[in-house]
Amino acid sequence: MRKAGIGAIDKKRLMEARLKDHGEEIAAEQLKQLSTSLETFRVKLQEFAMKHKNEIRKDPEFRRQFQEMCASIGVDPLASSKGFWSDMLGIGDFYYELGVQIVEICMANNHKNGGEFNFRFNQAG
């Protein structure tokens, strides 16, 4: 049985260091590619929201589909980047907060009533 010499140990350490460096380079490149992809996606989502702004605001079915599309990819247009979405969709802070509360109520009651929300207004006078 032959024992490894100092040269073999040094060679093994050098190889391990090179593999570690190469692994770090690959990870950095993958992170860079992922960042680029996420930025491209963000831009495309903004473009879609701007292009379909009126449909999102006025058509409940389209708005629901937009919300579902966003949710399926982990983006919540009401809960994330408040300033961005309120600017993008043209809604102010009051309506933004109201919208968030309504969506939360609808989602919480989805199993009971399909997420429908009835408004009943009583006017004094």
Side-chain angles (χ1 to χ4, degrees):
M1 185 170 188
R2 187 172 158 208
K3 292 186 177 181
I6 293 175
I9 292 172
D10 287 343
K11 187 176 180 181
K12 182 179 178 186
R13 286 183 183 157
L14 180 62
M15 179 63 81
E16 287 173 350
R18 286 181 180 164
L19 287 174
K20 181 183 176 199
D21 289 345
H22 187 64
E24 289 172 355
E25 289 172 10
I26 290 172
E29 181 61 30
Q30 288 177 337
L31 181 60
K32 180 181 173 185
Q33 289 175 356
L34 179 61
S35 295
T36 301
S37 295
L38 287 173
E39 178 61 20
T40 300
F41 176 75
R42 183 186 66 79
V43 168
K44 293 297 182 185
L45 185 60
Q46 286 176 347
E47 289 172 359
F48 180 87
M50 285 301 294
K51 180 178 180 182
H52 299 286
K53 178 180 177 178
N54 289 332
E55 291 100 333
I56 293 169
R57 291 176 65 198
K58 294 178 182 177
D59 183 351
E61 180 63 20
F62 191 87
R63 185 171 46 251
R64 184 187 62 77
Q65 290 175 350
F66 177 72
Q67 178 69 25
E68 286 177 1
M69 176 190 71
C70 290
S72 72
I73 55 175
V75 174
D76 187 346
L78 292 176
S80 60
S81 301
K82 177 180 170 183
F84 166 75
W85 286 109
S86 64
D87 291 343
M88 180 68 64
L89 298 176
I91 54 177
D93 288 342
F94 171 78
Y95 293 106
Y96 169 83
E97 295 297 334
L98 180 62
V100 169
Q101 292 175 14
I102 291 170
V103 168
E104 288 174 352
I105 291 168
C106 291
M107 291 176 78
N109 291 301
N110 189 32
H111 67 283
K112 294 179 186 175
N113 60 10
E116 292 184 12
F117 189 84
N118 294 317
F119 290 102
R120 292 196 174 104
F121 296 102
N122 292 323
Q123 290 183 322

